[in-house]
Amino acid sequence: QVQLVESGGGLVQPGGSLRLSCAASGSGISIYGMGWYRQAPGKQRELVAVITAGSSTNYVDSVKGRFTISRDNAKNTVYLQMNSLKPEDTAVYYCNAWFRTYNYWGQGTQVTVSS
């Protein structure tokens, strides 16, 4: 069992930056693929970025060049560095961990991009 807790969300102006953290407990995350998803009001949850156990990364096109996912297995934490934020990035951001048939979610953290 893995528990995930996101932090780092908040209100930021367009063009600003935030760094989200996802702290895991209950098990080490080194064998897990990790991802960040987001869900805006009235929209489906979408995958934003993933990082495999081997640290390969992939991003949705809309955040490429602006967001960076990284992991620190020693700290059992995954990060999402978000730069050049846009109003359309406003959403609840969720952390996800997966390994074979196991799939875990955090409770989410709100990111609001507004002037």
Side-chain angles (χ1 to χ4, degrees):
Q1 188 80 7
V2 176
Q3 293 80 43
L4 303 173
V5 178
E6 302 96 335
S7 61
L11 173 65
V12 64
Q13 291 187 342
S17 298
L18 283 174
R19 188 176 82 154
L20 305 183
S21 299
C22 172
S25 60
S27 176
I29 64 167
S30 62
I31 63 171
Y32 285 84
M34 304 293 295
W36 285 96
Y37 289 71
R38 65 187 179 188
Q39 188 166 18
K43 295 188 176 181
Q44 289 189 332
R45 190 174 297 190
E46 68 168 349
L47 177 63
V48 176
V50 296
I51 185 166
T52 67
S55 294
S56 296
T57 60
N58 202 4
Y59 301 88
V60 67
D61 285 347
S62 61
V63 308
K64 284 181 179 177
R66 300 189 298 122
F67 290 12
T68 303
I69 188 171
S70 61
R71 65 192 299 156
D72 186 336
N73 291 338
K75 295 183 178 180
N76 241 23
T77 302
V78 175
Y79 305 97
L80 185 68
Q81 178 66 44
M82 306 187 294
N83 299 328
S84 302
L85 282 161
K86 303 175 181 180
E88 51 263 43
D89 296 317
T90 295
V92 178
Y93 284 71
Y94 297 90
C95 180
N96 174 254
W98 80 89
F99 175 69
R100 294 182 179 173
T101 60
Y102 300 97
N103 197 18
Y104 303 103
W105 292 91
Q107 83 290 346
T109 186
Q110 176 71 46
V111 172
T112 302
V113 185
S114 175
S115 55

